[in-house]
């Protein structure tokens, strides 16, 4: 549905997007994740034909965003960051106006308005002035506008930014529901959000893609780097030596906690050393009172890879 | 092209929803009313519409029209709605023409309120209707040109104050100052400046003259500024 090849865009000497390639298949909900200023909005603006790219190519539903801009725009529903709307219009008026811009006839338009009003829970608000609506409501109006022409592809830029926790949850459910009918690309700088809604995540930083995959795949990448925490009672020097000698154990860190040795074990190459640590303790007659894997969260992973990038950039 | 009508409609509706339009309409009516009474209803004065149309209207419009046009695109840039607008299947030309026509229609409504003056004069005398018609044609052309200039500056900035000031200055220079400056010049520069003076082109209409020269001047300069507005709107693509 969305194909992006080697896309680049600079603002002056600043490279906002630096040779990005990715694709989104039909029916996927893809999260575009990155810290602020990573190039998410720029990429999205290129895909929605708002800005041209400097080099590379992009196509949506088989139409090139530069050559067949009008077809692309007809096939995309776009919710820009902060959902800009005309405050002096009423919700119904606005949706009607947007429907007309998509060349929908009166009857089709009325049906479409009824449909999006229902799916975005705007029922009680259709005749209110947009300027009087809360941030969350305006976000929903923006979303219903993006849906009015029943586009194949939905592009949502930071759909939950500035909302309160209840609204964030509602919007998330709404998007998950929309995933059944539309292919969705959404951007966010909040990992948690992407993790809950998306079938796949693309992590972008400094205009480049640094990781991508389903939440589970990303998790295995993270899981490989998990630490093992164990508490063993025994002479510290001996414990350290014995544990370090085990197969698959990298660095060992020991801290004394009320008479016990609290070990932090870094396995090498993602090896699972839990069994050997248990056997070791059993053989030596040391007591073992705790053993667990400290799984790094996706959040740690996200912070880590974006930080690595930052270091590499300097 | 189909979208022009939709955009014109929205723009017109936006005028009637915004307080600025009513303020402008009230000021316009008030000021033209005062001039009209002073010129036509005082004892001993010549009861003629020519002075009203010829001298006062252009001055009033130089102030009034930039206030109508400043919002047109600047506000879309400032609020970010330009992004939703330009990612819908509409072209820059659609947007500029839609906004131009919407404003022009509002301007016609504004002009229509001055028919009251014509009506009053008709009850007390017999004005030359041909002259009234050519004067209104002149005003329509003048208004169109002013709107296109205002629209162009509105397309250049997200700041409404800058838009209104730039249009005001440019319009004031070419409407009034050009004539004064031309008087002190000699030769070619004088001729060129006189040709650029908007008022010189407008005044014949208030004398009942519809000259093709002047028609071409108004239509082509209006077209030029609309074209520039389209280019300014497109400029975000290469800026």
């Amino acid at each position: 549905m969305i194909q992006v090849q080697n896309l680049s865009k600079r603002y002056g000497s600043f490279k906002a997007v630096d040779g990005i390639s990715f694709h989104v298949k039909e029916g996927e909900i893809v999260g575009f994740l990155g810290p602020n200023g990573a190039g998410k909005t720029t990429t999205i603006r290129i895909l929605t034909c708002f800005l041209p790219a400097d080099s590379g190519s992009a196509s949506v539903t088989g139409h090139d965003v530069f050559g067949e801009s009008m077809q692309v725009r007809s096939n995309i529903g776009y919710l820009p960051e902060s959902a800009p709307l005309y405050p002096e219009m009423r919700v119904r008026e606005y949706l009607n106006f947007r429907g007309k811009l998509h060349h929908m006839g009166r009857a089709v338009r009325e049906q479409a308005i009824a449909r999006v009003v229902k799916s975005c829970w705007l029922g009680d608000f259709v005749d209110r002035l947009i300027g009087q609506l809360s941030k969350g409501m305006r976000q929903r109006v923006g979303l219903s506008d993006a849906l009015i022409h029943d586009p194949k592809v939905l592009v949502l830029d930071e759909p939950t930014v500035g909302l309160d926790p209840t609204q964030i949850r509602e919007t998330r459910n709404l998007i998950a529901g929309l995933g059944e009918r539309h292919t969705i690309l959404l951007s966010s700088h909040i990992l948690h959000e992407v993790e809950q809604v998306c079938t796949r995540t693309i992590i972008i930083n400094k205009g480049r893609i640094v990781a991508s995959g389903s939440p589970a795949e990303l998790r295995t990448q993270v899981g490989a780097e998990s630490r093992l925490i164990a508490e063993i009672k025994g002479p510290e020097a001996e414990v350290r030596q014995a544990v370090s000698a085990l197969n698959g154990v990298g660095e060992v860190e020991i801290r004394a906690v009320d008479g016990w040795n609290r070990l932090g074990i870094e396995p090498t190459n993602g090896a699972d050393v839990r069994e050997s640590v248990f056997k070791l303790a059993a053989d030596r007659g040391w007591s073992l009172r705790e053993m667990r894997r400290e799984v790094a969260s996706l959040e740690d992973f996200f912070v880590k890879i974006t930080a690595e990038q930052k270091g590499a950039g300097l | 092209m189909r979208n022009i009508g939709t955009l014109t409609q929205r723009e017109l509706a936006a005028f009637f929803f915004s307080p600025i339009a009513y303020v402008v309409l009230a000021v316009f009516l008030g000021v033209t009313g005062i001039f009209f009474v002073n010129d036509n209803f005082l004892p001993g004065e010549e009861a003629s519409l020519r002075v009203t149309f010829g001298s006062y209207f252009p001055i009033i419009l130089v102030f009034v029209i930039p206030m109508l046009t400043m919002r047109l695109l600047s506000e879309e840039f400032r609020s970010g709605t330009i992004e939703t607008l330009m990612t819908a299947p509409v072209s820059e030309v659609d947007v500029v023409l839609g906004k131009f026509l919407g404003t022009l229609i509002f301007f016609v409504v504004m002009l229509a309120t001055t028919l009251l003056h014509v009506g009053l004069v008709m009850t007390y005398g017999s004005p030359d209707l041909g002259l009234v018609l050519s004067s209104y044609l002149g005003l329509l052309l003048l208004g169109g040109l002013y709107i296109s200039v205002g629209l162009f500056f509105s397309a250049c900035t997200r700041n409404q104050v800058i838009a209104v000031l730039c249009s005001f200055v440019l319009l004031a220079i070419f409407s009034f100052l050009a004539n004064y400056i031309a008087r002190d010049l000699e030769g070619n520069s004088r001729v060129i400046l006189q040709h650029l003076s908007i008022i010189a082109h407008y005044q014949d209409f208030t004398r009942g003259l519809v000259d093709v020269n002047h028609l071409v001047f108004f239509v082509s300069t209006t077209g030029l500024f609309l074209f520039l507005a389209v280019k300014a709107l497109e400029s975000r693509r290469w800026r």
Side-chain angles (χ1 to χ4, degrees):
Chain A
M1 279 312 234
I2 303 177
Q3 287 280 352
V4 174
Q5 279 294 326
N6 252 326
L7 210 63
S8 294
K9 171 84 188 171
R10 338 165 130 259
Y11 296 115
S13 63
F14 174 67
K15 271 190 179 169
V17 175
D18 189 4
I20 278 187
S21 304
F22 66 91
H23 67 279
V24 178
K25 289 195 287 271
E26 185 159 3
E28 275 190 305
I29 304 183
V30 171
F32 213 40
L33 186 68
N36 291 327
K40 301 180 300 258
T41 299
T42 306
T43 310
I44 282 177
R45 283 183 170 168
I46 294 170
L47 283 177
T48 53
C49 312
F50 186 65
L51 287 176
D54 294 337
S55 64
S57 68
S59 69
V60 177
T61 63
H63 299 289
D64 185 72
V65 295
F66 313 111
E68 299 167 299
S69 157
M70 289 299 165
Q71 284 94 320
V72 171
R73 297 189 209 181
S74 301
N75 281 313
I76 285 191
Y78 174 38
L79 173 67
E81 194 176 348
S82 82
L85 302 163
Y86 300 110
E88 79 276 3
M89 287 177 111
R90 288 174 197 282
V91 175
R92 190 191 299 279
E93 260 172 356
Y94 179 69
L95 293 176
N96 195 35
F97 164 66
R98 298 292 298 180
K100 276 196 209 166
L101 287 186
H102 285 283
H103 312 301
M104 299 161 75
R106 178 187 290 265
V108 183
R109 223 156 55 217
E110 271 163 18
Q111 273 179 11
I113 292 173
R115 174 174 54 80
V116 296
V117 160
K118 198 170 155 230
S119 63
C120 298
W121 310 313
L122 282 169
D124 300 335
F125 300 91
V126 275
D127 293 313
R128 292 266 293 271
L129 277 176
I130 290 171
Q132 293 171 352
L133 297 178
S134 68
K135 177 83 178 86
M137 289 307 305
R138 267 184 284 149
Q139 201 83 17
R140 278 195 222 160
V141 175
L143 197 56
S144 59
D145 160 28
L147 287 166
I148 190 110
H149 53 297
D150 202 13
K152 293 198 181 107
V153 177
L154 267 182
V155 177
L156 314 173
D157 196 0
E158 304 264 0
T160 58
V161 80
L163 301 187
D164 69 36
T166 325
Q167 292 169 329
I168 290 179
R169 183 177 303 172
E170 283 172 4
T171 312
R172 209 156 55 203
N173 294 340
L174 189 57
I175 293 170
L178 292 171
E180 290 161 16
R181 287 178 61 99
H182 309 272
T183 304
I184 302 179
L185 178 68
L186 71 88
S187 84
S188 176
H189 61 273
I190 304 162
L191 180 110
H192 179 61
E193 192 178 298
V194 171
E195 211 181 336
Q196 295 209 325
V197 185
C198 300
T199 50
R200 200 151 60 83
T201 307
I202 296 168
I203 301 181
I204 171 177
N205 190 36
K206 300 247 166 186
R208 289 165 187 266
I209 292 176
V210 289
S212 84
S214 66
E217 283 167 0
L218 289 178
R219 218 179 268 288
T220 31
Q221 286 190 47
V222 178
E225 300 175 19
S226 60
R227 267 156 60 102
L228 184 67
I229 304 289
E231 288 194 9
I232 294 174
K233 197 181 241 169
E236 189 192 320
E238 255 178 73
V239 171
R240 179 189 294 276
Q241 201 211 355
V243 171
S244 300
L246 285 174
N247 216 0
V249 169
E251 251 172 71
V252 178
E253 183 190 311
I254 295 190
R255 198 152 50 89
V257 180
D258 50 353
W260 292 72
N261 299 306
R262 189 179 174 82
L263 287 78
I265 303 167
E266 301 274 358
T268 51
N269 301 326
D272 188 351
V273 295
R274 284 175 293 186
E275 197 181 354
S276 29
V277 171
F278 167 74
K279 280 189 171 155
L280 174 75
D283 285 352
R284 302 283 180 104
W286 296 332
S287 313
L288 180 66
R289 79 167 180 186
E290 184 186 352
M291 183 149 70
R292 66 183 166 86
R293 263 160 91 167
E294 196 179 55
V295 180
S297 65
L298 274 181
E299 198 134 355
D300 293 334
F301 178 61
F302 175 54
V303 169
K304 196 174 153 204
I305 54 174
T306 51
E308 272 170 14
Q309 279 276 310
K310 223 170 265 173
L314 286 174
Chain B
M1 283 295 157
R2 266 199 288 183
N3 286 322
I4 296 176
T6 310
L7 290 161
T8 304
Q9 244 177 49
R10 197 207 81 79
E11 212 48 59
L12 198 56
F15 270 118
F16 285 105
F17 284 128
S18 84
I20 283 191
Y22 290 98
V23 172
V24 167
L25 207 57
V27 168
F28 176 75
L29 257 183
V31 175
T32 51
I34 290 167
F35 282 133
F36 172 71
V37 169
N38 274 342
D39 285 330
N40 297 293
F41 279 92
L42 293 184
E45 294 282 326
E46 174 195 10
S48 160
L49 285 169
R50 187 191 294 167
V51 192
T52 320
F53 279 128
S55 318
Y56 300 127
F57 268 55
I59 301 178
I60 299 168
L61 292 185
V62 164
F63 285 95
V64 162
I65 288 188
M67 284 193 254
L68 291 179
T69 56
M70 65 181 184
R71 202 196 85 255
L72 293 175
L73 280 158
S74 303
E75 181 62 17
E76 303 251 9
F77 292 133
R78 195 197 55 75
S79 69
T81 47
I82 191 70
E83 204 171 338
T84 37
L85 187 61
M86 296 318 307
T87 51
V90 298
S91 69
E92 276 86 358
V93 176
D94 291 345
V95 171
V96 165
L97 284 184
K99 290 194 177 275
F100 174 74
L101 290 177
T103 317
L104 194 65
I105 293 173
F106 183 81
F107 174 68
V108 168
V109 171
M110 209 166 91
L111 274 190
T113 59
T114 64
L115 286 174
L116 181 72
H117 304 167
V118 179
L120 277 173
V121 171
M122 279 174 81
T123 53
Y124 293 104
S126 51
D128 179 351
L129 283 184
L131 189 138
V132 171
L133 276 182
S134 75
S135 297
Y136 273 112
L137 175 64
L139 277 176
L140 189 66
L141 291 169
L142 188 71
L145 173 57
Y146 284 9
I147 291 168
S148 67
V149 171
L151 184 54
F152 163 66
F153 282 111
S154 186
C156 293
T157 170
R158 53 164 47 207
N159 187 327
Q160 295 193 26
V161 177
I162 293 176
V164 76
L165 284 180
C166 288
S167 356
F168 170 69
V169 168
L170 191 86
L171 289 178
I173 288 174
F174 284 98
S175 296
F176 311 118
L177 291 179
N179 252 350
Y180 282 105
I181 298 168
R183 280 181 207 167
D184 298 330
L185 295 175
E186 302 274 319
N188 278 341
S189 45
R190 175 176 187 160
V191 176
I192 291 172
L193 212 54
Q194 274 173 341
H195 275 292
L196 287 177
S197 163
I198 299 172
I199 291 308
H201 288 282
Y202 165 72
Q203 238 140 18
D204 272 354
F205 289 98
T206 66
R207 299 184 187 113
L209 259 175
V210 180
D211 189 333
V212 179
N213 255 332
H214 303 322
L215 277 177
V216 169
F217 171 81
F218 278 110
V219 172
S220 58
T221 44
T222 305
L224 171 69
F225 277 99
L226 289 179
F227 170 78
L228 290 176
V230 171
K231 290 297 148 196
L233 188 56
E234 280 173 358
S235 74
R236 70 172 198 292
R237 296 176 169 279
W238 41 260
R239 254 202 301 232

